[in-house]
Amino acid sequence: MDSQERKRRIAARQAAARRNRVNQGLYLGVLLAGLLVVLTLATFFGTDREYSESENRMLAQRPAFSAAALADGSWFAGLEDWFADQFTGRDGWISANLSLRRALGQQENGGVYLGKDGYLIQQPETPNQPALDRNLAAINAFAAAHPDLSCRMTLVPNAVSILADKLPANAPAPDQQAQLETIRSSLTGVDFLDVTQALQAHADEALYYRTDHHWTSLGASYAFAAMAQGLEIAQPVTEYDIYTVSNTFQGTLASKSGCHDSYDTVQLYVPRAQVDYKVTYASSQTVTATLYDRTALESKDHYTVFFGGNHPRVDIDTTAETGKKLLLFKDSYANCFVQFLTPYYETIVMVDPRYYYDNIDTLIKQAGITEVLYLYNLDTFQTDTSLADVLETTEK
Amino acid sequence: MAFSTLFFPFVFLPIALGLYAITPRRLKNLVLVLESLVFFAWGNPVYVVLMLLFIAFHYFTGLELERLGQRSHALAQLVLVSAVAVDLLALGYYKYYGFLAGELSALVGGTGKVQTLAAPIGISFFTFSALSYLFDVYRGKTEAARNVIDFSLYISFFPKLVSGPIAAWHDMAPQLRDHPIRRYKLSSGARRFVVGLCKKVLLANTLGTTFYALSAMPVESLSVLGAWLGALSYSLMLYFDFSGYSDMAIGLGEIFGFTLPVNFDYPYAAQSITDFWRRWHASLGAWFRDYVYIPLGGSRAGTARTIRNLLVVWLLTGIWHGASWAFVAWGLYHGVLLILEKFVFRRVLEHIPGFVRRVLTLVLVVLGWVFFFSPTLGSALGWLGRLFGAGGAPLADAAALYHLASCWKVLLLGAVGAMPVAGLLGNNLIRQRTPLWRVLSVVVFGVLLYFCVAGMLSDTYTSFLYFQF
């Protein structure tokens, strides 16, 4: 077919179509104009929200106009951001989009697998190999420099490997077992306490939240039972008072994926033991008699019921006269794990290296530390860039 | 501001159209130019100065060409050559300087890294529009523009500014004088805009998630199935992305009373590579045909010259798309295919049934896109190898099966949507005259539009692929 004929055909087709489309265009025009006008006016004259619960972030506000902002383009960009963030019914539109995408077959969103039984499962990040090597070297050097301390490590595998059955079929996932093995074999002078088997044995229970990247108190309790012997705890308490403090929790994975279909239950496990304690938050110099922060239940992130979130340093002094004084290098997985440790230690000092900048040897001397435990989830541990900095303050 | 960001259809377009509609007729073009400059300024406001200089330069060059053309051919030629050289240098500076300087620096043992400036959006497109103007005036095909507002509008008209279609001056000039708003144009323009939006937001972006996930994997770990899924999802994504953008541009043009050239005509239904290039990005093909291929002698000066001309055109087409060896390879790949089709297999192809020809063409085009999407020539060759099981690629692996499960429905939808049958269905739907069907067609559009808005809100971070060219 030559191009002349093609052009003629296209022109004829267009002319015929044009004749027939005129009337129908009226309905469409009304629909379009209506949608545009209603939504735009509603957005312009609606009240702006400051914060989005479902996205877990601050929303863009109306940009301030200035000549400089106009010249460098930031006013235009700010206007666009503001309009999108404050768009009428934003959350509803976003979940409508996700529903469509899922109907079309999509099985992940925003780095989160949309798993079975309402499980949202985070895709682990690629390990930061140079940082990991540096951290491991620092951990080994620290152990060598402190022969009087017993150093131990537990890395908690993530939902992506323990809950492999809940993943979409064939979903790519790293071999966390192999990663743990590599890390374990490169440790010297550090006792690696494995919890993988203990968690795998209970994989059909609620070990991880459905909507959050953390493990649950139940998961932590199985891990503790598996670690007790390694921690030289002779007679671990096996009875707990269990308090359900929330069943409306929607965590970080719900925000990341935009999928708000399910809710989680947050439980506190209090060991039945005659031990009192006080908790000191070093940065704010506050002292409390509880590990829990009930005000967290009024905020978005109910997981922060444990210690109110992450702090540079938290000291827990107990009435347990065991002579054991623990220094805990940790990420947020430890926050719900520490409730299991209180009966067995006179002192627990939690240090979160991501926010801690003081000399660690001074701390060890002042607190009379006898043991060190590294407790991280594997994903965070393999991407952490701050642990070595804290450990190396000893060598100066 | 991309057409597929929320702000454009909800804020910019209604304001632009409203102002345009209430402006007295003789000021309408001026208002459109100002609106276009605001649109252009959105990404980088200082570049508006460049745009004004660019317009002024071509306006005066055009007048000068016309004046000289009547007296001295040699002088006119000199002016044309220098003006074209200035344009190509400017284009080269923004688009190719980084690549060339990097390659040179690597050659002499440097780091291969150079500082570059961000290119003004649409520079490849509006430079080609301006060149078309200079060539047309030089050849006496049209008069030079007298009205500077009309000429500014030709260069900067926002619907076609960032990604075409590249309208030639001789097509646009008559429309610039008179382009009334008509009800039938408004409605068909709006419909075309929504269709383009759907292509971009609902299909291209969804296919993109599969493609980007697969292309993030190391090439050596792809299975045969994974490599084909990646190549197919890219092929459809690129088509829906670019043709969707063209549809939006043409629809917007119609709303403001213009008829912009058709850019895509179901290219994946092409019967041959020659046919493909009449259907894919036709306005660029037409530009190269009119201003490079034919002036070089086209196909009338013997086989050897024709082959040379084809290679020149396709080398340039490759380079136009971007500064990398992979684009050069992609351009030459198509050039060589066209030469083979024209001179070697012509007889053979005539005896092959149409269906087989279509499939063959499609496979060749998809293989070509591998060069197009690969960051380097080496990774392109690696990917091509995986398509055919080189390096012990397994037929399928878990990752490929996972992505197949995620994308087969969209691939299927896309495959149907990229074929002429989609247009047929759409036209039949809106051609029905009974009230029930009319309401139904509006409902269909309403639902599509609803999901477009939802998609635009959710996809604030994906942007149009062709901006970088």
Side-chain angles (χ1 to χ4, degrees):
Chain A
M1 182 188 334
D2 62 18
S3 68
Q4 279 293 323
E5 192 194 332
R6 181 191 310 284
K7 270 185 191 160
R8 232 185 357 258
R9 227 185 49 192
I10 292 173
R13 210 192 295 158
Q14 283 173 341
R18 194 160 58 217
R19 281 193 302 277
N20 291 316
R21 286 172 187 177
V22 176
N23 290 321
Q24 187 254 5
L26 189 66
Y27 298 102
L28 187 65
V30 170
L31 181 81
L32 264 177
L35 191 70
L36 285 176
V37 168
V38 170
L39 289 173
T40 309
L41 291 184
T43 302
F44 266 84
F45 296 106
T47 347
D48 287 359
R49 294 188 300 162
E50 270 193 25
Y51 170 77
S52 164
E53 281 263 300
S54 58
E55 286 170 78
N56 194 23
R57 66 178 177 90
M58 303 305 288
L59 296 175
Q61 302 297 308
R62 240 173 257 250
F65 182 82
S66 71
L70 182 67
D72 68 13
S74 62
W75 188 72
F76 287 139
L79 211 55
E80 259 188 279
D81 291 344
W82 163 77
F83 188 74
D85 274 6
Q86 303 296 346
F87 195 77
T88 307
R90 178 178 170 87
D91 296 351
W93 289 105
I94 288 174
S95 52
N97 181 62
L98 187 65
S99 309
L100 177 71
R101 297 288 161 102
R102 292 183 83 167
L104 289 173
Q106 192 167 324
Q107 303 178 85
E108 61 182 87
N109 207 30
V112 177
Y113 285 123
L114 311 171
K116 294 164 196 160
D117 304 333
Y119 268 97
L120 303 173
I121 298 175
Q122 175 143 36
Q123 301 173 340
E125 302 208 10
T126 315
N128 179 345
Q129 200 58 47
L132 178 61
D133 291 343
R134 186 171 163 242
N135 282 345
L136 289 171
I139 288 167
N140 288 338
F142 181 88
H146 299 84
D148 49 326
L149 300 179
S150 18
C151 295
R152 305 184 178 102
M153 174 188 281
T154 287
L155 298 179
V156 184
N158 298 97
V160 76
S161 56
I162 299 296
L163 301 185
D165 287 348
K166 306 285 185 205
L167 287 173
N170 297 311
D175 183 352
Q176 289 203 318
Q177 229 20 69
Q179 292 175 336
L180 283 171
E181 201 42 55
T182 314
I183 291 171
R184 178 214 283 265
S185 64
S186 63
L187 293 174
T188 50
V190 180
D191 198 7
F192 191 92
L193 308 179
D194 181 60
V195 296
T196 310
Q197 287 186 358
L199 293 173
Q200 270 169 346
H202 298 277
D204 52 342
E205 296 170 46
L207 304 181
Y208 298 85
Y209 295 107
R210 280 183 160 79
T211 69
D212 196 72
H213 65 287
H214 291 108
W215 58 349
T216 60
S217 295
L218 179 65
S221 78
Y222 289 128
F224 171 74
M227 290 161 69
Q229 197 182 2
L231 292 172
E232 293 175 8
I233 294 168
Q235 287 176 316
V237 179
T238 50
E239 305 257 284
Y240 301 98
D241 291 320
I242 300 172
Y243 302 96
T244 299
V245 292
S246 165
N247 43 32
T248 56
F249 176 38
Q250 292 201 316
T252 52
L253 300 181
S255 298
K256 273 190 171 180
S257 67
C259 177
H260 296 273
D261 293 347
S262 36
Y263 292 92
D264 273 307
T265 298
V266 180
Q267 291 182 320
L268 313 180
Y269 275 51
V270 181
R272 286 192 184 145
Q274 297 300 315
V275 178
D276 292 322
Y277 49 82
K278 73 170 174 141
V279 182
T280 313
Y281 296 90
S283 54
S284 58
Q285 284 302 318
T286 20
V287 180
T288 66
T290 169
L291 310 178
Y292 310 112
D293 178 6
R294 284 200 166 266
T295 60
L297 301 172
E298 283 138 42
S299 72
K300 147 103 182 146
D301 186 357
H302 297 178
Y303 184 75
T304 58
V305 73
F306 304 103
F307 295 100
N310 292 318
H311 302 274
R313 171 177 173 179
V314 180
D315 291 45
I316 303 154
D317 295 300
T318 75
T319 54
E321 291 175 352
T322 56
K324 285 162 77 78
K325 296 185 173 181
L326 177 70
L327 171 58
L328 179 62
F329 291 106
K330 47 92 30 185
D331 67 5
S332 56
Y333 264 52
N335 295 3
C336 78
F337 181 77
V338 167
Q339 57 189 344
F340 299 99
L341 296 180
T342 48
Y344 319 106
Y345 292 88
E346 277 184 39
T347 301
I348 301 170
V349 182
M350 301 164 67
V351 167
D352 195 324
R354 292 169 292 186
Y355 316 106
Y356 185 82
Y357 304 103
D358 289 334
N359 188 297
I360 209 72
D361 263 349
T362 318
L363 183 156
I364 290 172
K365 276 191 204 102
Q366 282 173 353
I369 296 298
T370 60
E371 303 177 14
V372 173
L373 174 65
Y374 302 91
L375 182 74
Y376 280 76
N377 76 80
L378 183 57
D379 187 19
T380 311
F381 186 75
Q382 292 189 108
T383 51
D384 175 81
T385 53
S386 49
L387 180 57
D389 288 334
V390 171
L391 293 176
E392 282 165 5
T393 57
T394 60
E395 286 153 43
K396 279 170 204 155
Chain B
M1 160 181 34
F3 298 153
S4 57
T5 60
L6 218 50
F7 199 78
F8 181 81
F10 279 95
V11 184
F12 184 88
L13 182 60
I15 294 178
L17 187 59
L19 282 179
Y20 177 77
I22 58 168
T23 305
R25 186 157 172 201
R26 60 197 172 82
L27 293 179
K28 276 191 191 296
N29 278 0
L30 177 63
V31 166
L32 260 188
V33 169
L34 293 176
E35 289 173 351
S36 296
L37 289 178
V38 170
F39 182 86
F40 183 69
W42 210 262
N44 201 337
V46 288
Y47 280 168
V48 169
V49 180
L50 281 184
M51 174 55 84
L52 293 175
L53 285 174
F54 184 88
I55 290 170
F57 174 70
H58 290 92
Y59 177 72
F60 289 115
T61 307
L63 289 177
E64 192 63 11
L65 274 177
E66 189 174 65
R67 196 175 63 82
L68 288 173
Q70 288 153 5
R71 289 187 308 175
S72 149
H73 181 69
L75 264 180
Q77 200 166 30
L78 184 68
V79 168
L80 178 75
V81 168
S82 4
V84 170
V86 168
D87 274 339
L88 294 182
L89 278 176
L91 187 62
Y93 176 70
Y94 281 111
K95 275 185 70 173
Y96 306 105
Y97 168 74
F99 171 68
L100 285 177
E103 291 286 309
L104 279 177
S105 137
L107 259 186
V108 297
T111 58
K113 285 184 188 134
V114 247
Q115 196 95 39
T116 50
L117 277 174
I121 53 164
I123 185 169
S124 307
F125 291 93
F126 64 73
T127 302
F128 269 42
S129 295
L131 287 175
S132 131
Y133 169 71
L134 294 185
F135 291 136
D136 281 2
V137 172
Y138 169 76
R139 287 198 213 140
K141 195 167 174 180
T142 50
E143 290 183 357
R146 295 287 180 279
N147 185 329
V148 71
I149 300 295
D150 287 1
F151 182 70
S152 306
L153 185 56
Y154 167 66
I155 299 291
S156 69
F157 185 41
F158 72 84
K160 68 173 187 67
L161 180 65
V162 284
S163 61
I166 301 165
W169 170 248
H170 56 260
D171 286 334
M172 283 288 278
Q175 302 185 42
L176 288 166
R177 281 191 293 276
D178 188 36
H179 48 93
I181 293 187
R182 295 267 184 261
R183 209 180 96 185
Y184 74 85
K185 279 192 167 185
L186 271 179
S187 66
S188 80
R191 195 181 303 110
R192 186 139 197 177
F193 183 83
V194 174
V195 168
L197 202 58
C198 289
K199 284 184 176 178
K200 163 74 182 141
V201 176
L202 299 183
L203 290 170
N205 288 357
T206 314
L207 288 161
T209 51
T210 299
F211 170 71
Y212 289 117
L214 283 163
S215 65
M217 291 169 55
V219 172
E220 13 353 300
S221 71
L222 282 173
S223 62
V224 175
L225 177 65
W228 277 105
L229 276 181
L232 288 175
S233 54
Y234 183 82
S235 304
L236 285 171
M237 168 179 85
L238 190 68
Y239 167 70
F240 286 116
D241 196 272
F242 196 10
S243 79
Y245 222 80
S246 286
D247 281 335
M248 289 188 262
I250 293 168
L252 289 168
E254 254 185 300
I255 288 173
F256 287 94
F258 285 89
T259 305
L260 296 175
V262 172
N263 223 8
F264 287 88
D265 183 24
Y266 302 105
Y268 291 149
Q271 297 218 11
S272 63
I273 298 294
T274 315
D275 191 25
F276 175 79
W277 282 104
R278 279 196 295 257
R279 293 159 173 265
W280 177 279
H281 204 180
S283 65
L284 182 72
W287 194 97
F288 274 112
R289 182 194 64 218
D290 291 349
Y291 301 115
V292 181
Y293 185 65
I294 291 175
L296 282 175
S299 52
R300 284 160 307 176
T303 307
R305 290 284 290 276
T306 308
I307 290 179
R308 183 207 66 178
N309 294 347
L310 280 170
L311 286 177
V312 169
V313 164
W314 289 96
L315 180 66
L316 291 177
T317 304
I319 294 173
W320 182 89
H321 280 85
S324 88
W325 293 115
F327 284 119
V328 171
W330 171 77
L332 289 177
Y333 169 82
H334 275 279
V336 170
L337 286 182
L338 285 166
I339 289 165
L340 291 177
E341 205 167 271
K342 239 181 161 71
F343 298 109
V344 184
F345 296 116
R346 190 175 192 156
R347 285 283 138 73
V348 186
L349 286 170
E350 277 168 7
H351 292 99
I352 295 179
F355 175 74
V356 178
R357 279 208 304 265
R358 283 176 209 268
V359 172
L360 196 64
T361 305
L362 189 57
V363 170
L364 289 172
V365 168
V366 170
L367 295 182
W369 293 136
V370 175
F371 290 106
F372 205 81
F373 68 64
S374 297
T376 63
L377 204 50
S379 64
L381 295 175
W383 194 297
L384 285 172
R386 301 306 278 187
L387 286 174
F388 299 102
L395 213 54
D397 60 355
L401 291 174
Y402 170 77
H403 289 297
L404 179 66
S406 305
C407 78
W408 69 268
K409 286 181 207 163
V410 188
L411 277 179
L412 209 63
L413 263 180
V416 174
M419 289 295 149
V421 62
L424 230 63
L425 282 174
N427 282 337
N428 275 337
L429 179 63
I430 50 185
R431 213 172 279 167
Q432 300 294 332
R433 305 195 129 248
T434 62
L436 181 71
W437 278 100
R438 274 192 210 158
V439 171
L440 186 70
S441 79
V442 173
V443 168
V444 168
F445 265 95
V447 169
L448 289 176
L449 197 60
Y450 172 83
F451 281 116
C452 280
V453 174
M456 283 191 285
L457 252 184
S458 303
D459 282 322
T460 38
Y461 47 79
T462 61
S463 54
F464 178 60
L465 290 173
Y466 256 73
F467 278 151
Q468 55 178 313
F469 299 125

